[in-house]
Amino acid sequence: TLISLSASEDFVTRRCYLAEILLTFHRCCIFAACVFLCKMRFNLEGLEVFFPYDRIYLEQYQYMRSIKQTLDAGGHCLLEMPTGTGKTVCLLSLITSYQLAHPNCGKLVYCTRTVPEMNSVMEELGTVFSYRSEQLRLDREAAAAADVSNTQQAEDVTMMDIEESA
């Protein structure tokens, strides 16, 4: 099942679509709500995950959830998904997001059989990092704009106080 939300859909359409998702995937309602609200930057059991594509399969979300639960427990896991289902991007998105949130969690060691396979993984890792960098840059810009706005409002209030006392 593919989940995709367009930025151009109006609120009512999105709300109806969200209700349909929640009914269809009642066991994954948190997932549907996060994807609806945050696009592909979503909260997974308290972890902000940066997923660089505008669509995600339910199975990919479940895969990432399993990896996160294993990391939280400090254990080992063996997960299997069919070829072409996005295992690499899921793993890289989840692990790099986890490392960002938990800087002392350790390294990711990724092994492949061939150099071309590793090149593909490195390309996907670049996509994940580019998306995350862009999102964090936008956050910094929004925070800076909010600071400027708050500073301006404070100055306006101070000016009004001065004018009223004069």
Side-chain angles (χ1 to χ4, degrees), residues 26-117:
H26 60 91
R27 289 175 32 197
C28 297
C29 63
I30 294 171
F31 162 72
C34 289
V35 171
F36 173 73
L37 295 172
C38 306
K39 307 251 179 190
M40 292 301 112
R41 181 178 177 179
F42 56 91
N43 186 300
L44 174 66
E45 297 180 355
L47 176 68
E48 184 174 27
V49 177
F50 297 89
F51 189 80
Y53 298 106
D54 60 351
R55 298 175 184 177
I56 187 169
Y57 289 97
L58 178 61
E59 293 79 9
Q60 290 173 313
Y61 175 81
Q62 292 169 335
Y63 184 82
M64 287 189 277
R65 188 179 61 208
S66 296
I67 295 168
K68 183 188 181 298
Q69 290 171 346
T70 300
L71 289 170
D72 288 343
H76 302 278
C77 68
L78 175 64
L79 301 170
E80 182 179 12
M81 285 175 65
T83 302
T85 55
K87 293 180 295 293
T88 301
V89 72
C90 289
L91 178 70
L92 295 175
S93 294
L94 190 282
I95 296 293
T96 57
S97 295
Y98 197 89
Q99 288 174 322
L100 182 65
H102 304 92
N104 297 324
C105 71
K107 296 179 182 179
L108 167 65
V109 177
Y110 197 105
C111 302
T112 63
R113 293 179 297 131
T114 65
V115 172
E117 287 176 352

Side-chain angles (χ1 to χ4, degrees), residues 131-161:
Y131 176 73
R132 184 175 81 181
S133 294
E134 175 189 347
Q135 292 297 306
L136 294 175
R137 179 186 57 79
L138 292 172
D139 284 355
R140 286 190 303 273
E141 289 174 1
D147 286 345
V148 168
S149 176
N150 289 341
T151 302
Q152 184 61 43
Q153 288 175 354
E155 289 173 1
D156 291 346
V157 168
T158 303
M159 290 303 292
M160 286 191 307
D161 290 343

